[in-house]
Amino acid sequence: MKRLLPSTLFAFTLGLSASLLAQTADAGNWDTLQPDRDQVIASLNVVELLKRHHYSKPPLNDARSEKIYESYLKLLDPARSYFTAADIAEFDRWRTQFDDFLKSGDLQPGFTIYKRHLTRLAERLDFTLGLLEKGVDSFDFERDESLLVDREKAPWAPDKAALDDLWRKRLKDEVLRMKIAGKEPKAIQELLIKRYRNQLARLDQTRGEDIFQTYINAFAQTYDPHTNYLSPDNAENFDINMSLSLEGIGAVLQSDNEHVKVVRLVPAGPAEKSKQLAPADKIVGVAQANGEMVDVIGWRLDEVVKLIRGPKGSVVRLEIIPAGNAPNDETSKVVAITREAVKLEEQAAKKSVLELPHEGRTYKLGVIEIPAFYLDFKAFRAGDPDYKSTTRDVKRLLSELKAEKVDGVVIDLRNNGGGSLQEATELTGLFIDQGPTVLVRNNDGRVDVLADENGGTYYTGPMAVLVNRLSASASEIFAGAMQDYHRALIIGGQTFGKGTVQTIQPLNHGELKLTLAKFYRVSGQSTQHQGVIPDISYPDEVDTQEIGESALPEAMPWDSIRPAIRPEIDPFRPLLNELKARHDQRTAQDPDFVFTRNRLDLSRQLMQETTVSLNESKRRAQHSSIESKQLAIENERRKAKGEELLTKLKEEDENTLPLADDKNKKPEDDAYLAETGRILLDYLSLRASVAKH
């Protein structure tokens, strides 16, 4: 990753206002937590760097101050369950002043709010432990009451009594979930007491650096979700991740209220190969090999990552709540994953041949699966003539498929999170004569055009590109170019929408990762936020409201600039309606397509529920109803495929897509891949029919 030269440190004063210093008096063990000189300098540098180098360069003014304030409150109290309305009324006087505080290096308001948060959190944990000491059987589960679970826009609690009632209900909900999951009262009580005591003990470990990082990130992330401040410790962890010198499980994680959520799996990484983890799964516990499971609910993301990371070859056990569960169903399962490095050869492009009957004969279609856009930089720079790269491997595979006389090619980019921009450009060059491949607009408005300058097209035959929500970044650049040049049919799901470029800027204290450029397709459309919209869409495999750029707060918008190529006649457009009609007719009863649609529909219905009953009989009935619906969806698929029906949903079935790429399965068994091949064959026959007329 390119690193900008460090900016010159500029002059500053430590002139913190006496009135604000006087307002920091929240009693407790945290009074000693104060901003230091290095943090003040770093904050001033962050302000200046964002002003000079961020792509959109929005002004740091009163409107930005309100965003910072709201962002900070959301980071500290996302469910509005710690602060009271009186706390918020007190903080509100600063609502439009955070721009002034940051410009002057005054960090005290940020520290004051955080320390109040620590005080309120300690009060809540003490209160909850007090309830637990009375025993979980003291709850009346026959009482007809409910809990609001979607509290993002709930009013702030008017007083301590209201918070007490909210936390009593929250605890009752936790106990009820565990009872329904089959845990005994004694085990529930022990687990929850341990969880809350651990959280209370960890509050005392809070450092000034924790406060500074949270506050500056609340500021930085109002610009866009990929602009982050990294503390010195986290900057070191980031460098470790980039060099892969310490092993993990190959999963991209993010904070999700009190949980840590899986965003995507690294292709050919340990988690992806295990088939036990999926996007939107929540990690609630981490254990080393056969060691004790550590409850990580309420932990910071960086602390959870440290637990998951470890020596190559060692085993980490994760307790997860599968993504397919109802919002308040915390039925969990434990998965074991062996840590290892992601090997370049395992990410290499692979080929297979899809044989499909169509209009009285069997056709052969070449499939090239590209898990990532890789380039062996070390071998490339050393001048090794046999260095590995995506383009080189795909070129070789295309040559082999040509020799097998395939009738067309499908490029499979599902779950490809990106990689080398150079490779996305060079791969595009295999399928077009020559011309622009992607545009990069910088923060000064300059547009750089990356292009394939080699004349000639390596593969001229018919093509389809298969994408899904987890196809991101370089994948979107390649798919977008294929669509804009009308070189291939784009089929599948709307892609991730990551169309921005980041760089790392070293600071005197930590580092700043900031967005300084944006990708645009040769048609002038951004890949940001919207991603690539397929010509023919498949049902979503993951909920796009949960996963994708548009699901992130403050995501930069989609826009467009002047195109780099003149639009040519689109050979697909006249045939799209007929292709869609045939696709719809085929998949209306296809068991795998029906399964995916029904499963996501149920998940979205469950996500609409904003309250849950705390009455045990009602809750058990609801839980049973959800399980029955999930079982019916699974059995509908099994019946249509002639498989044995289940009487109970097995744990491994709860979160398994029907399209999992089992190595023993043939490409024809992959419903989405096979349907992509059929659409391509439909296109070939329709094109031939049009040509005859």
Side-chain angles (χ1 to χ4, degrees), residues 50 54-56 58 64 67 217-229 498-502 513-517 528 549 552-557:
L50 290 174
H54 191 272
Y55 177 80
S56 53
R64 175 71 40 188
K67 278 181 175 275
N217 266 322
F219 164 44
Q221 290 178 12
T222 63
Y223 287 75
D224 77 281
H226 306 291
T227 292
N228 315 104
Y229 169 74
K498 167 75 164 63
T500 55
V501 185
Q502 283 72 42
K513 177 162 72 83
L514 80 161
T515 298
L516 79 169
Q528 170 62 19
E549 187 78 6
L552 299 175
E554 302 298 335
M556 290 173 65

Side-chain angles (χ1 to χ4, degrees), residues 54 163 200 360 652 656:
H54 191 272
L163 279 179
L200 196 55
E652 59 266 29
T656 304

Side-chain angles (χ1 to χ4, degrees), residues 84-134:
T84 63
D87 291 325
I88 300 303
E90 189 179 333
F91 303 151
D92 271 348
R93 63 190 164 174
W94 294 329
R95 177 179 283 275
T96 59
Q97 293 180 264
F98 288 97
D99 54 326
D100 303 315
F101 295 146
L102 286 160
K103 286 173 185 174
S104 66
D106 188 343
L107 300 176
Q108 283 293 349
F111 272 63
T112 298
I113 292 172
Y114 196 107
K115 287 189 283 186
R116 180 72 57 82
H117 163 69
L118 292 173
T119 300
R120 295 291 178 253
L121 179 50
E123 289 170 357
R124 293 298 101 216
L125 294 174
D126 279 334
F127 171 79
T128 306
L129 284 165
L131 289 179
L132 282 167
E133 294 295 346
K134 297 175 185 175

Side-chain angles (χ1 to χ4, degrees), residues 141-200:
F141 291 111
E142 293 182 8
R143 184 177 171 186
D144 204 5
E145 59 181 350
S146 61
L147 171 68
L148 177 68
V149 289
D150 182 3
R151 294 187 50 82
E152 188 177 343
K153 295 179 181 175
W156 297 100
D159 51 32
K160 181 176 176 292
L163 279 179
D164 286 349
D165 191 54
L166 170 62
W167 278 75
R168 177 190 63 79
K169 287 182 176 180
R170 279 180 55 148
L171 181 59
K172 186 176 178 180
D173 177 53
E174 281 189 289
V175 173
L176 187 52
R177 275 181 261 156
M178 291 183 187
K179 275 189 79 174
I180 292 172
K183 283 190 169 65
E184 294 297 321
K186 185 180 178 185
I188 294 172
Q189 184 167 355
E190 287 176 357
L191 172 63
L192 290 177
I193 286 176
K194 187 173 182 180
R195 174 182 296 173
Y196 287 115
R197 279 182 179 164
N198 284 344
Q199 288 186 21
L200 196 55

Side-chain angles (χ1 to χ4, degrees), residues 573-588:
R573 183 177 292 275
L575 307 176
L576 278 181
N577 285 340
E578 177 61 22
L579 289 173
K580 287 175 183 173
R582 292 188 182 191
H583 159 69
D584 289 343
Q585 185 177 13
R586 246 191 325 263
T587 59

